[in-house]
Amino acid sequence: MELCRQWGFQIQEKDNRFFLPFDSDSLVPAWIEEETPGIAWDRLRVEGFLEIGSTNEEGLARARGGDPGALLICAETQTAGRGRKGRRWASPPGGGLYFTLVLSPAQDLIRWPLLTFVAGVALVQALKELPGVEGFPARLVDLKWPNDVLLGGKKAAGILLETACSARRPAAAVLGVGVNVRPGCVPEELQHCASSVSDDAGVLVARRKLLVRFLHFFQMGYKFFENGRHADILESWKRHSSMWDGVPVWIVEAEKSIRAVTCGLSDTGALRVRTEEGKVETILSGDISLRSVAWPSRP
């Protein structure tokens, strides 16, 4: 009981029985399972941790051990949370959503990167239609290739897709998502380029409510993916992004930066750009930095 209180759970007592009063924020696995609709899966299994090294590392271990998928791993904090290319993802206790989905897609492995697009669109849809957040500035929500969700031009969420391979078992997709939710969860040194959902919404956003809404939209996109509607997934991503065509960017590769302008996506989600020399190149995994973006101010 003392451990629960130390982690901020509001334990109450009645008739000599201790209980956790129901709310919309606590990441209680049973509540997540109950509230998540069955759209792409009959049932989503949820396992929660107070503290973990990385939800993605746990997901990779589970997948390599033969987990059949449709598993969500979430945590209050990560001690070794990471994003693309091993970058650290700040995961302060109770400050955000840190979770991983373990999936067993039936589609060809070459199409699996589209799951990043499914997740990005699902998160944008969840933010724009989040119940109880009246007046959320939806026009400030944007998708940046390949895996970032921006609020007002600042990063509020990131997505990391990894593949668990084993000689004895089918490959599995391990999809990690980190979302800055609570005010003050962004480290001071990153506040010039990162933001939180609650800061931009102007109210305290409930984490579990956002997570369940995400899972609703993700399953809808996942059904598109499994049914081979890959072009529809890309078109949906384009509708939620202002940056995939005609935007000046820097292509950062190793220690070299190249000036270019975005000019579309390939059928597998790779970014096409036109360099200053007029050459069209396809970017598979490089870093993209915007050269200039004009954002409207909040009312």
Side-chain angles (χ1 to χ4, degrees):
M1 298 303 300
E2 182 59 30
L3 178 63
C4 289
R5 292 192 177 97
Q6 289 176 8
W7 281 86
F9 292 98
Q10 303 301 311
I11 305 298
Q12 296 184 6
E13 180 182 3
K14 184 178 181 180
D15 300 328
N16 293 321
R17 297 181 63 184
F18 293 92
F19 66 96
L20 182 65
F22 184 82
D23 61 28
S24 298
D25 184 77
S26 299
L27 302 180
V28 178
W31 293 351
I32 298 172
E33 290 182 357
E34 181 180 349
E35 294 169 359
T36 300
I39 300 174
W41 319 296
D42 292 334
R43 174 177 175 266
L44 176 68
R45 294 172 295 120
V46 181
E47 295 191 16
F49 294 82
L50 293 175
E51 182 178 281
I52 197 171
S54 161
T55 59
N56 254 39
E57 286 299 328
E58 181 70 17
L60 289 167
R62 297 296 183 90
R64 289 166 181 152
D67 193 283
L71 168 67
L72 174 76
I73 300 167
C74 60
E76 288 290 326
T77 186
Q78 300 177 110
T79 58
R82 54 188 172 82
R84 290 180 70 235
K85 300 187 176 181
R87 297 187 182 98
R88 178 178 176 270
W89 183 272
S91 310
L97 287 171
Y98 323 117
F99 65 92
T100 292
L101 283 165
V102 179
L103 306 167
S104 300
Q107 294 293 305
D108 291 339
L109 195 64
I110 193 174
R111 298 290 182 180
W112 287 18
L114 292 176
L115 291 172
T116 299
F117 292 77
V118 172
V121 170
L123 187 51
V124 168
Q125 291 174 319
L127 289 169
K128 289 183 175 180
E129 301 183 20
L130 190 62
V133 183
E134 185 177 352
F136 186 85
R139 72 186 189 284
L140 300 185
V141 186
D142 209 344
L143 286 168
K144 175 176 173 286
W145 187 91
N147 67 331
D148 292 345
V149 178
L150 307 183
L151 293 176
K154 295 183 178 182
K155 184 172 180 174
I159 301 160
L160 176 64
L161 176 67
E162 298 183 287
T163 304
C165 297
S166 170
R168 296 175 298 170
R169 306 183 190 279
V174 176
L175 185 74
V177 180
V179 187
N180 301 325
V181 180
R182 295 280 182 84
C185 69
V186 177
E188 184 175 353
E189 66 272 16
L190 296 178
Q191 290 179 5
H192 68 286
C193 62
S195 183
S196 78
V197 175
S198 293
D199 283 329
D200 280 272
V203 296
L204 188 63
V205 172
R207 293 178 301 157
R208 194 176 76 257
K209 184 178 289 186
L210 177 58
L211 172 59
V212 169
R213 200 65 180 151
F214 165 84
L215 291 169
H216 168 86
F217 288 115
F218 180 84
Q219 288 184 81
M220 294 174 65
Y222 191 71
K223 286 190 69 174
F224 274 37
F225 176 76
E226 290 289 69
N227 289 332
R229 297 177 61 178
H230 305 140
D232 291 334
I233 291 171
L234 290 173
E235 287 303 315
S236 180
W237 190 90
K238 290 177 184 178
R239 287 195 298 272
H240 291 93
S241 174
S242 68
M243 305 179 187
W244 64 276
D245 190 31
V247 175
V249 295
W250 290 104
I251 311 299
V252 183
E253 297 178 342
E255 298 181 357
K256 181 176 64 174
S257 297
I258 302 171
R259 293 162 63 100
V261 175
T262 60
C263 57
L265 301 174
S266 74
D267 60 1
T268 57
L271 182 67
R272 292 194 175 105
V273 299
R274 181 175 288 104
T275 66
E276 290 186 313
E277 292 76 24
K279 182 181 178 182
V280 175
E281 296 186 359
T282 299
I283 308 300
L284 298 175
S285 61
D287 283 337
I288 304 297
S289 297
L290 302 179
R291 282 196 274 151
S292 61
V293 177
W295 289 92
S297 59
R298 286 194 59 187

